[in-house]
Amino acid sequence: MSGKATLCAYAPGSVPWEMVNAFSAMLKRKRATLAQVRQAWNAYEQIPLRLVEVETEQVLRIASQYDIYAYDAYFIVCALQQKSALLTLDGGLRQAAIQAGVKIVEVTA
């Protein structure tokens, strides 16, 4: 054993679909080539994510309560279920997560 700790982030099971959707939008808008998207996908696959199922009923409740889209609510519910902090650069998601009682990991440039 090397003694190095491996970090792993929790994410809702929908993340791969969301990534592919974002990449396909980049292709459609001619903001990236297929080769660039493949390279980005390969980089994404190197991120140590543990994909978890989230409770749909709770996602709908959070989406309704904080007037956000379900894909944002998935991340909040994931953080709540895993009792973990949320890492986001999205201001709206950040605010809703704070209101829902989720700790935010601050990112600075």
Side-chain angles (χ1 to χ4, degrees):
M1 208 177 264
S2 69
K4 285 186 178 179
T6 301
L7 296 178
C8 180
Y10 293 102
S14 61
V15 166
W17 306 325
E18 291 183 41
M19 293 298 296
V20 170
N21 189 54
F23 290 145
S24 69
M26 293 170 70
L27 289 169
K28 182 177 178 166
R29 294 181 181 116
K30 308 283 190 246
R31 293 188 177 163
T33 66
L34 183 55
Q36 290 170 321
V37 165
R38 284 182 175 142
Q39 184 178 14
W41 179 257
N42 289 336
Y44 160 76
E45 287 188 314
Q46 300 306 306
I47 300 170
L49 290 178
R50 179 171 296 159
L51 301 177
V52 296
E53 293 300 314
V54 296
E55 297 173 17
T56 305
E57 181 63 34
Q58 194 174 6
V59 169
L60 292 171
R61 184 180 58 75
I62 293 286
S64 174
Q65 185 174 351
Y66 299 108
D67 195 29
I68 59 175
Y69 289 107
Y71 56 76
D72 286 342
Y74 277 111
F75 285 94
I76 293 172
V77 172
C78 181
L80 289 169
Q81 285 181 186
Q82 299 303 317
K83 297 177 178 53
S84 64
L86 178 66
L87 173 66
T88 183
L89 297 174
D90 181 309
L93 174 55
R94 180 182 186 283
Q95 187 59 39
I98 290 170
Q99 290 174 354
V102 174
K103 181 180 176 187
I104 302 297
V105 174
E106 296 294 333
V107 178
T108 58

